[in-house]
Amino acid sequence: MAISLQKGQKVDLTKTNPGLKKVLVGLGWDTNKYDGGKDFDLDSSAFLLGSTGKVTADTDFVFYNNPKNANGSVVHTGDNRTGEGEGDDEQLTVELASVPAEVEKISFCITIHDAAARSQNFGQVSNAFVRIVNEETNEELIRYDLGEDFSVETAIVVAELYRHAGEWKFSAVGSGYQNGLEGLVRDFGLAVS
């Protein structure tokens, strides 16, 4: 049975699941029906961060246009442009033992594509979640439901996988940004063009 977390909680991932090799990170959401008539396109991404809390290369930003990091240990499985249907809307996989040693943390984010132009924000999104699944057994290990804590934000750092004392841990972050993907990219050390 999956461990259900609240914002700010942390839990051991590999210590409590010995032999865990590869995880699927599933992100999902629903958009409210009173959204102003424009389509919503939410996107998931991952930032592979070094000891400074920044990416060390452009390839450490994994998203639909850069679907894997340099060694292929973190992979974005594809862009869902509508969010229709049940379950995960987008997924990333992480091969834990293959993540480069200099990567101390992987931040998983959801952003709203063209949020400003479409006058959209996370106040119009509900049922957002992240879950960690053991890819080998398809068992859901961890789930974090974000709740309705956001109103004007256009990007959210949902959760993090991070290394501590040789083990991987999971942190339920739930931190919102008003300046969307551009703000995330800048804060994680990439140039905004």
Side-chain angles (χ1 to χ4, degrees):
M1 190 169 107
I3 297 171
S4 185
L5 298 181
Q6 301 294 316
K7 181 176 181 169
Q9 288 185 305
K10 297 173 171 49
V11 66
D12 282 314
L13 182 61
T14 53
K15 197 176 199 176
T16 54
N17 298 286
L20 184 65
K21 293 177 179 60
K22 191 171 184 180
V23 295
L24 178 138
V25 181
L27 299 120
W29 51 81
D30 294 321
T31 55
N32 299 340
K33 298 303 173 208
Y34 55 87
D35 64 18
K38 296 188 174 117
D39 288 341
F40 265 83
D41 181 8
L42 276 64
D43 296 311
S44 64
S45 57
F47 293 87
L48 286 68
L49 309 173
S51 60
T52 63
K54 310 278 185 198
V55 298
T56 57
D58 288 352
T59 56
D60 289 343
F61 172 35
V62 177
F63 67 113
Y64 63 88
N65 265 350
N66 180 48
K68 62 183 177 180
N69 66 324
N71 78 345
S73 57
V74 178
V75 176
H76 188 288
T77 63
D79 188 15
N80 176 340
R81 294 179 176 223
T82 65
E84 295 294 318
E86 298 297 312
D88 300 339
D89 290 305
E90 292 192 10
Q91 299 176 331
L92 295 102
T93 60
V94 180
E95 214 166 304
L96 297 170
S98 300
V99 174
E102 67 273 10
V103 174
E104 293 187 3
K105 183 188 300 181
I106 304 170
S107 287
F108 297 95
C109 307
I110 303 173
T111 56
I112 301 174
H113 182 71
D114 279 345
R118 297 177 183 180
S119 300
Q120 296 172 342
N121 59 55
F122 275 97
Q124 299 161 308
V125 175
S126 56
N127 304 319
F129 68 87
V130 60
R131 65 191 194 112
I132 302 291
V133 176
N134 178 338
E135 193 166 87
E136 218 170 65
T137 64
N138 206 29
E139 177 190 2
E140 184 175 297
L141 304 173
I142 300 168
R143 184 179 187 92
Y144 167 42
D145 293 299
L146 273 71
E148 310 300 320
D149 295 341
F150 306 98
S151 55
V152 298
E153 292 85 351
T154 55
I156 300 173
V157 177
V158 179
E160 296 171 339
L161 286 177
Y162 65 98
R163 295 185 211 249
H164 179 74
E167 300 284 349
W168 282 99
K169 295 187 175 229
F170 177 89
S171 175
V173 178
S175 179
Y177 279 69
Q178 289 183 19
N179 48 359
L181 182 59
E182 184 177 315
L184 285 175
V185 166
R186 193 180 310 110
D187 282 3
F188 287 134
L190 292 168
V192 178
S193 52

